[in-house]
Amino acid sequence: MRWFEKSWNTRQAPVYALAGLVAMLTAGCKKPDPPAAGAQAVPVAVQRVSLTAVPTSDTYVATIKSRRSATLQPQVDGNLTRILVKSGDAVKAGQVLMQIDPLKQVATVQAQQAAEQPLKATFDYNQADIARQEQLYKDGIISKQAYDQAVQSFQNAKAALEAASAQTNTQKEQLAYYQIRAPFAGIVGDIPVHQGDYVSPTTLLTTVDENADLEAYIYIPTERAAQVKIGLPVDLVDEAGTLLAHSSIYFVSPEVDNDLQGILAKAPIPKASERLRNGQIVNARITWGTSQAPTIPVLAVTRIGGQSFVYVAAAQGSGYSAHQVSVTLGEPIGNVYPVQAGLKTGDRLILSGIQFLQEGVPVTPMEGPPPARGGS
């Protein structure tokens, strides 16, 4: 008998456990009970929703470019014998950055100078001779033909010397190309070459950028072609929305870029910031105008599953209750959001105690800002 009772209890235990689990799940699926009738109303600060001037703007990707940016390539062939700067150095206009081996060109100049010497001697002789021939001709000692021949010899010698001198000067000027100099004051960029490398006119040596005169290149979609114009305000911001610089459009291209199908607009950066550099990618927020729209404080918004919600004090009988409303918001402007849908003017927006509210909770609206939080 005892064995039978023990066996029966063992078989019934899983049944009891399953019944208990079903009861727990059924209780968990029930909706929370609504606030009890006659519950004490929660005092909350509210603000009437009203229309304010909201800027209409769009954000585009912009590239920061320097108005003075140079890519340095040699004009002659040769081996780099010296690199006098490193990436990031600040250089002055005309400062020597690199030296290409000039020995071959020096030899060419010396050879040209040597070839010029006999021509100089011939010129000096003919210059002295023509003075003698002229005097002999005046004295009637030589004929006009002999004098003309002396003049021709002098002119030939002069022309040959001038051509040789010009060639020598050209070769000397070529020597300057063996020194790579900064075209203007700026910052040295990357240096992909090394001392001893053989370079040619197609070799990229480095870049020099002036970081004090920057402008933003903004490509605006053609759909905005009718609205884009000179003078529109532009805010340059980073990914977090932090303002980097404020400017305005001062150039609009008359043509559409074939590759991007956009219209190039430029905005100067009044003061170069340490956070803005040549080639940097930022966001450009262009303001097209202003329109009247409701705005709500950022702190009044809660997000659930990626959707924005606010609480309003809705009239219920002789009092008010909290009512959760889904809203569609625009880009934040300072500490407020423009409301695109979900609220209307006159709604009582709840500003305080939002974390303690739920749908239908009785509230007592108090016009004005939310009370300051004191230390506990």
Side-chain angles (χ1 to χ4, degrees):
M1 186 64 179
R2 290 180 179 176
W3 173 86
F4 175 78
E5 291 178 353
K6 182 178 180 182
S7 177
W8 186 85
N9 291 334
T10 302
R11 290 195 301 268
Q12 292 299 318
V15 176
Y16 292 148
L18 178 61
L21 178 61
V22 171
M24 291 173 62
L25 291 175
T26 304
C29 292
K30 291 183 179 180
K31 295 183 179 179
D33 294 333
Q40 185 177 3
V42 179
V44 292
V46 298
Q47 174 183 302
R48 294 274 187 164
V49 176
S50 61
L51 296 177
T52 57
V54 175
T56 303
S57 62
D58 288 314
T59 302
Y60 306 103
V61 175
T63 303
I64 304 300
K65 294 187 179 182
S66 173
R67 293 179 181 176
R68 302 185 71 181
S69 180
T71 300
L72 302 186
Q73 293 176 273
Q75 299 186 54
V76 294
D77 299 345
N79 294 95
L80 279 177
T81 57
R82 299 178 69 190
I83 299 178
L84 304 174
V85 294
K86 62 182 183 299
S87 298
D89 283 355
V91 295
K92 299 179 180 179
Q95 181 176 334
V96 178
L97 309 181
M98 302 180 189
Q99 174 74 55
I100 300 174
D101 187 1
L103 293 181
K104 184 178 179 180
Q105 185 62 25
V106 170
T108 301
V109 173
Q110 292 174 346
Q112 184 62 36
Q113 290 175 333
E116 188 179 341
Q117 294 303 318
L119 298 176
K120 179 67 167 58
T122 301
F123 171 78
D124 292 341
Y125 171 79
N126 283 280
Q127 188 176 30
D129 183 62
I130 194 172
R132 292 191 298 270
Q133 296 297 327
E134 182 180 8
Q135 187 61 42
L136 292 175
Y137 172 69
K138 289 181 179 179
D139 294 341
I141 300 175
I142 62 173
S143 64
K144 180 68 166 56
Q145 183 180 3
Y147 173 70
D148 290 342
Q149 289 177 349
V151 172
Q152 183 178 2
S153 297
F154 169 74
Q155 292 176 344
N156 290 342
K158 181 181 179 182
L161 179 60
E162 289 176 348
S165 298
Q167 185 65 25
T168 301
N169 291 336
T170 299
Q171 296 299 330
K172 287 181 178 179
E173 290 175 357
Q174 288 284 333
L175 276 174
Y177 297 152
Y178 289 81
Q179 288 185 332
I180 308 301
R181 296 178 178 271
F184 46 79
I187 305 297
V188 178
D190 181 41
I191 303 177
V193 293
H194 305 85
Q195 186 170 329
D197 285 355
Y198 183 83
V199 297
S200 67
T202 60
T203 305
L204 172 63
L205 299 179
T206 187
T207 59
V208 176
D209 299 310
E210 187 181 60
N211 210 45
D213 197 5
L214 305 175
E215 57 188 3
Y217 280 55
I218 312 165
Y219 284 93
I220 301 173
T222 53
E223 292 79 6
R224 285 287 190 178
Q227 288 83 26
V228 62
K229 60 183 179 180
I230 294 175
L232 287 176
V234 177
D235 288 328
L236 301 178
V237 298
D238 60 15
E239 291 297 329
T242 304
L243 180 65
L244 302 176
H246 178 74
S247 183
S248 60
I249 293 177
Y250 83 108
F251 168 80
V252 177
S253 175
E255 300 177 343
V256 175
D257 185 274
N258 290 329
D259 295 331
L260 301 176
Q261 281 300 299
I263 301 170
L264 173 62
K266 296 182 182 181
I269 300 175
K271 293 183 179 179
S273 170
E274 294 182 356
R275 294 179 293 177
L276 291 175
R277 293 182 178 273
N278 182 47
Q280 184 175 348
I281 304 297
V282 298
N283 292 323
R285 186 169 57 228
I286 299 178
T287 300
W288 307 105
T290 58
S291 60
Q292 295 293 317
T295 58
I296 59 176
V298 171
L299 296 179
V301 179
T302 57
R303 296 187 182 275
I304 304 174
Q307 177 63 45
S308 299
F309 294 90
V310 296
Y311 277 102
V312 296
Q316 185 175 14
S318 60
Y320 294 88
S321 64
H323 176 53
Q324 192 177 57
V325 179
S326 173
V327 291
T328 303
L329 306 176
E331 293 292 328
I333 305 171
N335 294 324
V336 299
Y337 282 113
V339 180
Q340 298 174 350
L343 292 177
K344 61 183 182 297
T345 56
D347 285 345
R348 292 178 171 87
L349 178 69
I350 298 178
L351 304 178
S352 65
I354 299 173
Q355 65 272 29
F356 304 114
L357 297 180
Q358 63 177 354
E359 180 69 24
V361 169
V363 294
T364 301
M366 297 185 298
E367 300 283 346
R373 295 181 180 178
S376 56

